Amino acid sequence: DIVMTQSPGSLAVSLGERATIDCKASQSLLYRGNNQNYLAWYQQKSGQPPRLLMIWGSTRESGVPDRFSGSGSGTDFTLTISSLQAEDVAVYFCQQYLSLPVTFGGGTKVEL
Amino acid sequence: QVQLVQSGTEVKKPGSSVKVSCKVSGNTFSRYATNWVRQAPGQGPEWMGAVVPMSRTPIYAEKFQGRLTITVDESTNTAYLDLSSLTVDDTAVYYCARSIPQLRYLDIWGRGTLVTVSS
């Protein structure tokens, strides 16, 4: 199974400041056949199911604000919130969907 | 708008089984995979398995082989998770979530079903 490791486990950010979350995969998520990284990001607010934010490492889903951006390739990825808003307080997960079983990181809690 | 509506909270004894349902609204049920994912308190999500109704062939994470059964009822657009031989470690919120069959990022989720296993 591909192991997904996130860091940090939690971080406190002031309103308007940048938040950066790292995700490392135990093997490359880059599929040479289409040159895509099989990496998704989710946001989970308290008491709610996860919400899909991003696929292919950097493609925002419809309705996701552009302050959220994804970067990286291969085994190392980053989710950045450029200017934290109060509604961004949540736990964020990365997930690989290159191979079964799909696997998730342990999560990063973002708080004010 | 597609919605996944799950059954309610369950409390089970160790050694018993639990069955959770997930009814999918809209007309996309047969063409998408229904995945089951669980999340223990304070933990990341854990993918358990999935089924594409058109193929009727479920796939399971190796960890759950032998005690997990995923079925579908296309007449009611409902998927089911059946987990047997429960232990306290199975206490979690169980989610169903939709994906394109060949791409298992999960774009629509149910609200979750809390399953508590306690003696």
Side-chain angles (χ1 to χ4, degrees):
Chain A
D1 298 0
I2 298 176
V3 177
M4 306 298 292
T5 303
Q6 286 184 238
S7 62
S10 64
L11 73 161
V13 181
S14 300
L15 288 175
E17 295 299 306
R18 178 185 300 260
T20 301
I21 300 166
D22 292 324
C23 173
K24 189 174 184 67
S26 62
Q27 56 188 272
S28 178
L29 303 183
L30 178 64
Y31 179 57
R32 296 294 182 185
N34 57 10
N35 203 38
Q36 294 278 14
N37 288 284
Y38 283 56
L39 189 281
W41 287 99
Y42 297 83
Q43 175 193 66
Q44 186 175 31
K45 297 182 179 180
S46 180
Q48 297 183 17
R51 171 197 178 194
L52 180 64
L53 292 180
M54 211 164 293
I55 58 174
W56 306 121
S58 61
T59 302
R60 280 189 300 275
E61 283 287 278
S62 175
V64 175
D66 61 6
R67 63 180 179 273
F68 290 90
S69 64
S71 62
S73 185
T75 61
D76 295 289
F77 299 89
T78 299
L79 176 69
T80 301
I81 309 172
S82 60
S83 176
L84 192 81
Q85 305 299 302
E87 62 264 31
D88 301 333
V89 168
V91 180
Y92 293 83
F93 297 98
C94 57
Q95 177 224 340
Q96 67 80 18
Y97 52 98
L98 179 65
S99 65
L100 293 178
V102 302
T103 47
F104 294 81
T108 296
K109 184 176 184 179
V110 174
E111 51 197 353
L112 293 173
Chain B
Q1 183 180 357
V2 176
Q3 288 187 304
L4 282 63
V5 179
Q6 298 186 225
S7 51
T9 298
E10 301 270 6
V11 179
K12 294 293 182 179
K13 299 286 189 187
S16 67
S17 298
V18 68
K19 191 167 188 174
V20 180
S21 67
C22 172
K23 185 174 175 63
V24 181
S25 66
N27 59 1
T28 63
F29 180 70
S30 293
R31 292 185 282 113
Y32 284 81
T34 300
N35 297 261
W36 288 96
V37 176
R38 74 179 185 180
Q39 189 172 27
Q43 303 295 313
E46 179 178 34
W47 183 83
M48 302 177 70
V51 66
V52 179
M54 285 181 69
S55 75
R56 293 187 172 273
T57 303
I59 51 175
Y60 303 120
E62 188 173 343
K63 174 178 178 177
F64 300 101
Q65 288 276 2
R67 68 183 190 108
L68 173 62
T69 303
I70 296 174
T71 55
V72 295
D73 181 346
E74 287 190 80
S75 69
T76 60
N77 283 5
T78 303
Y80 298 91
L81 170 147
D82 197 325
L83 188 64
S84 62
S85 302
L86 293 170
T87 72
V88 295
D89 292 335
D90 292 314
T91 294
V93 177
Y94 288 74
Y95 295 101
C96 59
R98 189 187 81 163
S99 71
I100 298 170
Q102 294 79 24
L103 295 174
R104 297 200 184 276
Y105 56 82
L106 306 171
D107 64 348
I108 301 176
W109 293 63
R111 295 202 60 82
T113 297
L114 175 61
V115 176
T116 302
V117 183
S118 173
S119 55

